[in-house]
Amino acid sequence: MHADIDRILISRERIAERVGQLARWIVADHAALGDGAEITIVPILTGAMIFCGDLIRQMPIAMKIGLMTVSSYPGATVASQGAQVIQRQLANVKDRHILVIDDILDSGNTMRLVVPTLRDLGASSVRTCVLLKKDRPAAREVAIDYVGFEIPDEFVVGYGLDYNDYYRNLPDIVTLHRRVLESRA
Ligand code: IMP
Ligand code: MG
């Protein structure tokens, strides 16, 4: 697997440091909502799984977790094919403060789909957090409350991000050799 890596874009150490900062920032904002504000964390599966796991373990506040599975890069594709909600396990989000967590903001289609859906379900507020934001015009048009890193417009894997469902378990965020993108397709 390591032979497939072209270069490490963001090391596990830098990720860990930034995840800690994001957690402290989110917790401070949450405190400003006042006593009794209830939060539900909604990781967008599958990509946000690892980021969310690390993030919420550094957030010492009462929270529930709801799940949404959104697919936009089915199989061996490296460009968004349009976001689609595949599965929803949200329980009751009415009158709750929602924090949507995703691995990466690319075309913005996922957030454009998910945020209005949660508002329609009666959430008191919907905030958004992504670990990565790609430097491309489409991503700049979507306002995100908490961004970990801005990265160049390249296809990356690791720390939850996949190519054809592989590489999610890599601890760093990396780019792959071009030959790999062809052979794992
Ligand atoms: P968007 O809907 O185009 O903003 O893309 C969001 C989703 O596409 C993310 O949740 C990822 O699952 C996937 N995605 C976007 N860019 C990449 C990438 O560079 N590598 C792996 N997955 C990506
Ligand atoms: Mg995803």
Side-chain angles (χ1 to χ4, degrees), residues 144-158:
I144 299 291
D145 297 289
Y146 308 98
V147 176
F149 300 94
E150 301 233 2
I151 63 164
D153 189 5
E154 284 185 76
F155 193 77
V156 294
V157 299

Side-chain angles (χ1 to χ4, degrees), residues 72-73 102-104 106-110 134 155-156 161-162:
S72 48
Y73 278 43
D102 208 356
D103 48 3
I104 189 165
D106 180 24
S107 70
N109 289 335
T110 301
K134 278 193 190 171
F155 193 77
V156 294
L161 291 123
D162 73 301

Side-chain angles (χ1 to χ4, degrees), residues 108-130:
N109 289 335
T110 301
M111 286 301 188
R112 267 195 283 266
L113 174 72
V114 162
V115 171
T117 301
L118 290 161
R119 290 215 175 99
D120 288 348
L121 290 170
S124 302
S125 70
V126 182
R127 286 190 176 152
T128 50
C129 173
V130 297

